[in-house]
Amino acid sequence: MKTFDYKALPHFEQTYILQCGTFHFYKDFIISHINEGEYITWDSAQELIDIAIGHYGKKINISLISNRYNTYEIKYDDWRKFYKEGFQLKALAIVTYNKSGLINFMSEKKMFRHKIRNFYSLENAIKWVTSLK
């Protein structure tokens, strides 16, 4: 993966570094980088959700770009809790760099209720989420 200057993108607002990873907040989307070997559950995602509500307000209408250059696991059943709590995402863009990342994307596609796409470059994922109305 090549180096990327997150602060140079238009509408950059803030970077949050959590135990599970680093999250770059923009006006209409978040780029996530989960740390190697993490296991993401509802409890571990709750800290990010609380920060996002504090940053964007309770009516969050953003997209998430998951930049997956590390290997980690997600408890897919917890997506149901995300929706049950009333949270919504405009779209989910997943950037994969290998075959296992693509396989994970196929599993997530079944869980996600809204727009979801796989990309092989962060730049293309950003273009897609910024083009959504």
Side-chain angles (χ1 to χ4, degrees):
M1 193 196 95
K2 66 181 181 176
T3 308
F4 195 84
D5 185 2
Y6 297 95
K7 293 181 181 180
L9 285 174
H11 308 290
F12 172 80
E13 295 180 353
Q14 184 76 36
T15 295
Y16 295 93
I17 301 173
L18 308 180
Q19 185 175 340
C20 67
T22 303
F23 302 86
H24 305 282
F25 282 54
Y26 298 84
K27 178 182 174 192
D28 296 316
F29 62 93
I30 298 171
I31 299 175
S32 71
H33 301 281
I34 304 299
N35 295 332
E36 181 72 32
E38 288 289 329
Y39 182 57
I40 304 300
T41 65
W42 175 255
D43 292 335
S44 58
Q46 190 63 55
E47 182 180 11
L48 176 62
I49 291 168
D50 292 343
I51 290 170
I53 289 170
H55 188 94
Y56 295 109
K58 289 194 183 258
K59 290 290 184 181
I60 298 173
N61 187 28
I62 58 166
S63 298
L64 175 64
I65 299 173
S66 180
N67 193 17
R68 297 192 176 166
Y69 55 83
N70 287 327
T71 303
Y72 58 91
E73 293 182 52
I74 298 171
K75 185 175 179 186
Y76 294 111
D77 289 346
D78 284 357
W79 273 111
R80 289 186 196 100
K81 290 181 186 177
F82 182 80
Y83 295 119
K84 195 174 191 177
E85 293 292 322
F87 298 113
Q88 299 289 331
L89 289 175
K90 187 186 303 182
L92 176 61
I94 298 176
V95 183
T96 58
Y97 297 94
N98 55 44
K99 188 176 180 177
S100 66
L102 184 58
I103 291 168
N104 288 341
F105 164 76
M106 299 307 277
S107 297
E108 284 177 76
K109 191 173 183 176
K110 295 174 187 174
M111 299 286 197
F112 197 67
R113 294 184 186 171
H114 302 288
K115 295 177 183 174
I116 181 171
R117 283 194 55 194
N118 183 64
F119 294 90
Y120 298 103
S121 78
L122 183 57
E123 292 86 353
N124 287 339
I126 292 168
K127 286 177 188 174
W128 181 66
V129 298
T130 57
S131 73
L132 300 173
K133 301 293 177 207

